[in-house]
Amino acid sequence: MAFKSLDELRAVCLDLPVGSDPAADAVSRRQDTLTKPRGSLGKLESIAAWLARWQGRDMPRLDRVKVIVFAGNHGVTAQGVSAYPSEVTVQMVANFAGGGAAINQLARLAGAELSVIPLDLNHPTGDFTQTVAMNEAEFLAAVSTGYESVDEDLDLICFGEMGIGNTTPAAAIAAGLFGGTGRDWAGRGTGVDDSGLSRKFAAIDAGLARHAATLADPLAVAANLGGRELAAILGATLAARHRNVPVLLDGFVVTAAAAPLAKLHPEGLAHTLSAHVSAEAGHRQLLEALKLAPLLDLGMRLGEGSGACLAVNIVRSALECHARMASFAEAGVTDK
């Protein structure tokens, strides 16, 4: 879908399909018959039900799992908010293509396809301390790219990102949506020193002040303070909802990118699970604001979809137990 206006995009964000209660209930009923005390597999049981609900299948499947990494560059890096130059984004995209990044290894082990989508890397977004990050046309183009990247026959999807400086727009979006200042949301990202961290705080506060009149509109927040890869993640998360594909959210940047959907619709992220809480300052607070409980807490802060890809293995474990365990009757085990 190529969105032609913010109003059209907003309408699609507000018109979200609901999950299948009958499918989730079927999973719960089967779980109660399996050779284990009821509820003893904890979150694995609820994960299986979540898969069923959002796939709309009594017996979920994970035949086709995909990781999509979106890459973009950011004009706000002119404010000295990153420890690395913007050309590293292009270099890392090449590394993904060559199979040399962490996400390449994790996707292979998880049995997931990997796709990398660069978004106009030669043209960074505007410096949001001086202007909008993206005008309406640029924002809608990035959202549309993300929306169109999600295939209808997927069983589970993870989103990742690569963009030098992108923890700054992610923190700015979080502050714009949920209140607070740069100091409340920004962390060290790729490893800025104390002076760099102070510059991040200042850049975010300057952006919030410049765009204060539009902070009540989640889509305007995403356009004015975000980035192309974040906008694409928003579009892809929206497409997954409309195409019955459950989503594993990665770290701080991906969660911030998807957060406008939750501000627009109270159940906007119901089809997602938080894969992990990252070590990046602000992520735990953002998950709490969104009422999302992370599956993992491994101190990771890489991005690339790495935490989400690790969590694919947990989801696969949940489904294997659900689909392959014997019932009490099948195993000839006495149920109390």
Side-chain angles (χ1 to χ4, degrees):
M1 175 179 291
F3 295 102
K4 297 180 177 60
S5 69
L6 287 177
D7 287 342
E8 181 186 12
L9 173 59
R10 195 183 319 276
V12 175
C13 291
L14 293 174
D15 183 22
L16 299 180
V18 298
S20 171
D21 287 340
D25 291 344
V27 166
S28 297
R29 287 193 301 272
R30 173 170 167 77
Q31 286 285 339
D32 290 344
T33 72
L34 301 180
T35 49
K36 60 179 177 58
R38 290 188 180 185
S40 59
L41 284 177
K43 285 187 178 180
L44 294 186
E45 298 186 20
S46 61
I47 289 170
W50 169 77
L51 269 183
R53 179 184 302 279
W54 294 107
Q55 290 183 0
R57 300 186 182 105
D58 289 1
M59 180 56 72
R61 68 187 186 202
L62 289 172
D63 297 338
R64 189 173 179 214
V65 179
K66 190 169 186 177
V67 182
I68 304 178
V69 179
F70 299 96
N73 273 323
H74 299 268
V76 74
T77 57
Q79 301 300 316
V81 298
S82 177
Y84 291 88
S86 293
E87 54 261 32
V88 171
T89 303
V90 176
Q91 294 163 359
M92 281 302 300
V93 167
N95 192 30
F96 297 145
I103 191 60
N104 297 95
Q105 323 320 319
L106 295 172
R108 184 180 66 254
L109 286 172
E113 303 170 35
L114 175 62
S115 175
V116 180
I117 300 178
L119 293 135
D120 207 3
L121 298 184
N122 293 326
H123 297 92
T125 54
D127 177 352
F128 65 62
T129 70
Q130 307 297 318
T131 184
V132 295
M134 295 165 284
N135 61 33
E136 182 173 333
E138 291 168 333
F139 175 66
L140 291 172
V143 171
S144 298
T145 296
Y147 196 99
E148 293 167 356
S149 72
V150 178
D151 299 330
E152 292 189 4
D153 64 344
L154 293 173
D155 301 316
L156 180 67
I157 196 163
C158 309
F159 303 123
E161 40 64 38
M162 178 63 218
I164 292 301
N166 68 8
T167 57
T168 299
I173 287 174
L177 294 176
F178 298 103
T181 66
R183 185 176 294 274
D184 295 319
W185 292 100
R188 294 186 184 274
T190 51
V192 294
D193 58 16
D194 289 347
S195 295
L197 187 58
S198 294
R199 290 191 293 271
K200 286 183 78 169
F201 295 159
I204 292 165
D205 291 344
L208 293 171
R210 173 169 284 277
H211 304 291
T214 62
L215 296 183
D217 179 359
L219 294 180
V221 169
N224 295 342
L225 297 171
R228 288 188 180 90
E229 77 273 36
L230 281 79
I233 291 166
L234 174 61
T237 305
L238 178 61
R241 178 61 163 267
H242 282 277
R243 293 171 179 171
N244 299 314
V245 183
V247 176
L248 286 173
L249 295 175
D250 193 46
F252 181 51
V253 176
V254 169
T255 307
L261 189 55
K263 292 293 283 187
L264 286 164
H265 192 295
E267 297 295 320
L269 295 181
H271 65 303
T272 74
L273 287 181
S274 170
H276 77 125
V277 57
S278 87
E280 180 65 16
H283 192 208
R284 193 178 299 274
Q285 179 182 350
L286 181 56
L287 291 176
E288 290 172 355
L290 293 169
K291 296 181 173 57
L292 294 173
L295 297 177
L296 297 167
D297 183 353
L298 299 176
M300 297 172 65
R301 54 180 181 84
L302 175 62
E304 302 180 6
S306 53
C309 208
L310 275 175
V312 170
N313 299 290
I314 296 176
V315 178
R316 287 195 182 280
S317 298
L319 180 56
E320 284 295 294
C321 289
H322 177 72
R324 296 183 181 276
M325 282 181 67
S327 68
F328 284 99
E330 290 166 342
V333 174
T334 300
D335 191 6
K336 65 177 182 179

